[in-house]
Every structure is written in C-alpha cells, then in structure tokens.
Amino acid sequence: MASIDLKGVRKVYQGNVTAIHALDLSIADGELVVLVGPSGCGKSTLLRMIAGLETITDGTISIGDDVVNKKEPAERDIAMVFQNYALYPHMSVRQNLEYGLKNRGTPRDEIDRRVNEAARILEIAPFLDRKPRQLSGGQRQRVAMGRAIVRQPKAFLFDEPLSNLDAKLRGQMRIEIRRLQRSLKTTSVYVTHDQLEAMTLADRLVVMNGGRIEQVGKPIELYDKPASLFVAGFIGSPPMNLLPIAALQAIAGGTMPSLPAGTDIVGIRPDQVVVGSGEGIALSGTVELIEPVGGESHLYVRVEGLDQTLILVQQGRASVGEADKVDFVLPLAALHGFNKESGLRVD
C-alpha cells in the first residue's frame, strides 16, 4: 500500500489541446478517492496517467516515495480494473487469476494461496474452472477484481468498472467493492460518471470539469456546501435548483433576504423546498410533471413570473396533481449563494 501524489500534473495532446490543466492531488495510504465528472472532463485521462498508460506533459506523479513519471505500467506496482473486464477468453477463471503471477515468477504454492484467498473473498471459488463466456457480467467483474487482488499491489485503479452492468448488479457490486476496499485497505482511485456510485463509494470525491479539479472533499461536504455552480448542478439527484436573484426579487417582493455582496444566483436542494406555506421566499407555480420514485415524488413546477422550472421533492405520494397550482417556500437557511461571473460560491 502507498499514497499517491500528483504535483503540477498536466497533459497536452498534439495540436495544443490541453486535456489536464496543471493540478495537484494527494491521495492518502488506504484511501478510496473517486474521480467524477461528465464525459470529456479528463477523469479517465488522469487515471491512465497514474497507471502509466498515458505520458504526462508536465509535473510529477509519485506512488509512495517513488516518482514514477518514467516508469512503465508494469513497474509501478498498481493493478487496474477496466469496464470491459479484459479477461482472456481462452483461459479458465483460475488461469486468468494466475497469469500475472506466473509472469512475475511467483512460486507455485504462493500462486495457489493468493488465488484461493481471492476466490474466497469474492465468492468465485465455484467458477474457477469455467471460461469467462460461461459467467454473468457480475461474475466476470469479480474475476477482473480478483486478478487485481492477487497482485497485492500498492494501489487499485478502477476505470468505470460497473458501467456495463444493469442497475441491480451495479448496486450489488458497489457494496462489494466498498467492502473489499475497506477489508484490504489498499489505496484506490475510482473513475465514474455516475454520481450515485461516487457518493456511496468515496472517502473523498474529486469533481472534475474541463480538465480541472472543481472541488475535493467528503461526499456529504460537496453536497452540503458546493464550491461552485458546476458542483452545485452536478452533485445531487435531482440536481440543485439555481435561480437568478434579479428575477426572484421581481416576483418575491419583501420576502427576499439580504444576501452577501456578489451574489447573483441562489441555489436550493429540491428536498429542502417546502410545499405549502412557511418562513422564507414564497413562490407559486404550476405542476408540469410528477415523477413517482418509490418513497418520494419529484415535482417539476413552472414558477409564476419566472421563466424556469424548479424541482421539488415530496416524501411519499405527491399531494398535488399535474396541472395543479402549488404554493411553496424556499427556506432562507437552505439557500446557497453563487456569483455568475466567477461561477464560485459566495459566503
């Protein structure tokens, strides 16, 4: 196990296209850090740079006390789990697990011990003599993880490993990956565009946008106090409602609070909007759409006097119907202030 440190890391492709702007990131020994962001934000490129599959233009990458900029992937003592499993189809599960160890000259008894231990941890012992084509997607992903575990590397790198699985399997595998990482205490970097995966797996989240880091912190910290408009709109499902101050002032009148200088956009989480009356900014609108989501309902409300639809979350069944008028309140304590020009939070 080892820490991972990135200092001034940058990636520029031919044609002067900057994929990763100079960034710094420190990942502690045994920590699970999730890189999350939309497609094209640079998260997979950054992971591949750590792995040695992409060269870096500037900066240094250290794994433990070892600067690995010029080291080949096989020399970095990391194990990578890909979204397409990358298993050898002509080999059995056991042979897939053994392959890397055999290439490194690991003694036979040690190979057997590691393979049997990985099979026990991942509950794949009954499948050791099967070929990958005889396994389900979830079983194949366990084998891919097993191949990483037997290496006993300094760090695990996960490149969207669950994206090929259905929703139920993704949920199950999320739990297994988190349980496994806590048990092994191996430093892990996990890439995903799925914020639910990111929120539930991470010790710390790294939100990326346009090749830059927007915010780093514990998942709940990013949810409760987003540092920018981008993080506010990206983290959370449904996303945070963002409203222009000028338009709100025109329709809310005396219920508008005094906000810090520089605030021209306010945000509020959909689950903190209060349907009915109460203390705060009083608004009303027409329900355009209701999404029943099991234990809660998502109401899409067209606000009167504001050319914008807000999302409201009600626990249980919705108390109104589509096309109904609804009154609601934005509690002042739940508001987040942002500056439109800088895109940053205003406190």
Side-chain angles (χ1 to χ4, degrees):
M1 295 186 292
S3 60
I4 298 175
D5 289 293
L6 285 68
K7 295 181 179 178
V9 171
R10 193 165 70 101
K11 176 65 179 181
V12 180
Y13 289 108
Q14 283 187 337
N16 204 31
V17 176
T18 302
I20 299 291
H21 297 267
L23 59 79
D24 300 321
L25 179 64
S26 293
I27 301 168
D29 186 5
E31 186 178 29
L32 196 164
V33 165
V34 177
L35 308 179
V36 67
S39 297
C41 71
K43 57 189 185 295
S44 289
T45 300
L46 187 59
L47 190 78
R48 290 172 63 84
M49 291 164 72
I50 296 171
L53 301 175
E54 289 275 2
T55 58
I56 68 173
T57 305
D58 293 304
T60 60
I61 297 177
S62 301
I63 299 177
D65 297 324
D66 192 11
V67 175
V68 297
N69 288 25
K70 296 183 179 180
K71 289 197 171 186
E72 295 296 319
E75 300 174 314
R76 298 191 180 200
D77 198 10
I78 51 91
M80 196 158 182
V81 180
F82 298 91
Q83 60 181 312
N84 63 356
Y85 318 130
L87 301 177
Y88 297 107
H90 62 287
M91 294 184 182
S92 69
V93 169
R94 184 185 298 277
Q95 290 168 331
N96 267 281
L97 296 177
E98 293 175 346
Y99 185 76
L101 297 178
K102 283 184 175 179
N103 283 352
R104 299 174 75 175
T106 306
R108 181 72 248 180
D109 59 344
E110 179 65 10
I111 291 175
D112 290 340
R113 187 191 69 78
R114 292 193 194 183
V115 167
N116 291 334
E117 177 64 7
R120 182 191 65 79
I121 291 171
L122 294 167
E123 300 178 355
I124 56 174
F127 316 130
L128 287 176
D129 296 322
R130 297 186 188 180
K131 298 288 178 63
R133 66 176 178 274
Q134 297 172 299
L135 305 178
S136 68
Q139 290 165 345
R140 280 182 238 177
Q141 193 54 271
R142 286 180 187 167
V143 175
M145 290 168 58
R147 193 170 54 185
I149 290 170
V150 298
R151 293 269 310 279
Q152 296 182 353
K154 290 180 180 177
F156 292 139
L157 306 181
F158 296 91
D159 188 11
E160 303 201 41
L162 308 184
S163 60
N164 290 335
L165 304 180
D166 61 39
K168 182 179 179 181
L169 267 178
R170 281 201 304 272
Q172 293 172 349
M173 290 301 297
R174 266 202 319 270
I175 295 169
E176 291 188 19
I177 288 174
R178 190 64 178 121
R179 184 172 57 216
L180 178 67
Q181 197 274 337
R182 284 178 174 171
S183 171
L184 299 176
K185 296 181 174 61
T186 303
T187 308
S188 301
V189 185
Y190 189 107
V191 162
T192 182
H193 63 272
D194 184 328
Q195 60 167 287
L196 179 59
E197 269 181 38
M199 293 286 288
T200 54
L201 279 172
D203 291 322
R204 282 192 303 150
L205 270 184
V206 178
V207 179
M208 296 190 65
N209 179 30
R212 293 182 171 88
I213 292 176
E214 288 273 341
Q215 189 173 0
V216 180
K218 293 180 179 179
I220 198 63
E221 292 173 351
L222 271 62
Y223 183 85
D224 286 343
K225 198 171 182 179
S228 67
L229 285 168
F230 178 83
V231 177
F234 188 80
I235 296 296
S237 182
M240 181 179 285
N241 293 302
L242 299 169
L243 305 99
I245 286 290
L248 267 182
Q249 287 174 330
I251 61 175
T255 61
M256 276 296 297
S258 175
L259 296 166
T263 304
D264 44 26
I265 293 178
V266 293
I268 186 167
R269 294 288 180 195
D271 60 344
Q272 294 182 313
V273 179
V274 177
V275 176
S277 59
E279 293 293 324
I281 302 174
L283 301 171
S284 60
T286 303
V287 179
E288 294 185 320
L289 177 68
I290 297 175
E291 290 182 335
V293 193
E296 63 186 33
S297 299
H298 299 171
L299 281 61
Y300 292 76
V301 178
R302 194 72 174 178
V303 183
E304 290 182 5
L306 186 65
D307 186 25
Q308 189 169 339
T309 298
L310 266 63
I311 308 174
L312 288 60
V313 172
Q314 277 194 305
Q315 294 304 309
R317 304 295 181 264
S319 61
V320 293
E322 291 181 2
D324 285 353
K325 295 284 186 180
V326 61
D327 296 324
F328 57 96
V329 172
L330 313 182
L332 303 186
L335 297 181
H336 302 256
F338 301 93
N339 180 268
K340 184 178 180 180
E341 184 175 349
S342 69
L344 300 178
R345 182 183 186 88
V346 179
D347 287 317

